[in-house]
Amino acid sequence: WIENQIAVFRESYALLPGYDQAEAYLVSVLSLATSGEESPRVDEVMVKGGTYVEPYVRILSVIQSVGAVLEEIPHKEGAGESSSGSRRRRIAKKLIDQDICLSMLDKIALANERKKGAVSSASGNSNGNDVREEENPVAIPYDAAARLAYDADPANRSVSFEEFKPK
């Protein structure tokens, strides 16, 4: 499949300046996306001052930010080295659990709950007296956006997104 994609790319862009770096970048991205392994051409992409170093590093960081771990391909498996002899990497079979599905409001709510729990346990005493939780004045309620929208017009209790944005 990668070979077909590169053939079509070559037909369209082979005469343009910088084509070789662009092809190496495309091969590297497609290889990582389809096989989970870096291409032997990754060294061509990662040359100092190369046009595609920053975009390739950005792709790797996005992949890692969602929990993928890049591990070196052991030399004994064959093709574990790139054309210049440096080690290639692959996406490990086991991923790190990341909370990529949580919205910012969910994260704020979880942070607030953790803060309240820490304050309660830190200020608790052993004689059974009531423990007063301290409110964090900087904490944003998890439903702040919904409250703003709901309180915007007491008669209507609805607000359009355009009206909500400036609030």
Side-chain angles (χ1 to χ4, degrees):
W1 184 82
I2 293 174
E3 302 288 331
N4 293 338
Q5 299 301 315
I6 296 303
V8 171
F9 186 72
R10 188 176 297 125
E11 286 175 17
S12 301
Y13 303 106
L15 300 176
L16 295 175
Y19 171 78
D20 291 335
Q21 283 186 345
E23 181 182 296
Y25 173 71
L26 184 60
V27 167
S28 297
V29 169
L30 291 176
S31 176
L32 194 58
T34 58
S35 72
E37 293 184 359
E38 285 185 320
S39 163
R41 295 190 66 188
V42 74
D43 283 342
E44 295 174 52
V45 175
M46 299 303 289
V47 295
K48 187 174 182 175
T51 307
Y52 297 97
V53 172
E54 188 176 328
Y56 189 73
V57 169
R58 192 176 317 123
I59 286 175
L60 293 180
S61 70
V62 168
I63 290 169
Q64 291 172 318
S65 73
V66 295
V69 176
L70 295 175
E71 63 183 11
E72 284 191 4
I73 300 173
H75 184 61
K76 65 182 179 182
E77 289 186 24
E81 293 185 4
S82 62
S83 55
S84 69
S86 67
R87 305 296 285 182
R88 293 187 306 131
R89 297 174 293 179
R90 67 177 171 206
I91 298 173
K93 296 195 183 302
K94 185 152 178 128
L95 305 176
I96 297 172
D97 186 20
Q98 300 281 19
D99 62 350
I100 61 171
C101 294
L102 293 178
S103 70
M104 281 308 283
L105 293 177
D106 292 330
K107 289 183 180 188
I108 291 169
L110 288 172
N112 286 344
E113 288 173 15
R114 285 187 197 120
K115 286 178 188 174
K116 285 181 181 179
V119 168
S120 294
S121 61
S123 63
N125 54 33
S126 58
N127 63 8
N129 291 342
D130 289 332
V131 175
R132 184 174 174 260
E133 282 190 20
E134 296 177 23
E135 289 291 324
N136 181 349
V138 180
I140 300 169
Y142 69 93
D143 60 347
R147 287 183 190 180
L148 278 173
Y150 188 75
D151 292 339
D153 181 6
N156 189 355
R157 295 290 185 203
S158 68
V159 65
S160 71
F161 183 67
E162 283 72 28
E163 294 171 352
F164 177 71
K165 282 193 297 188
K167 295 179 184 193

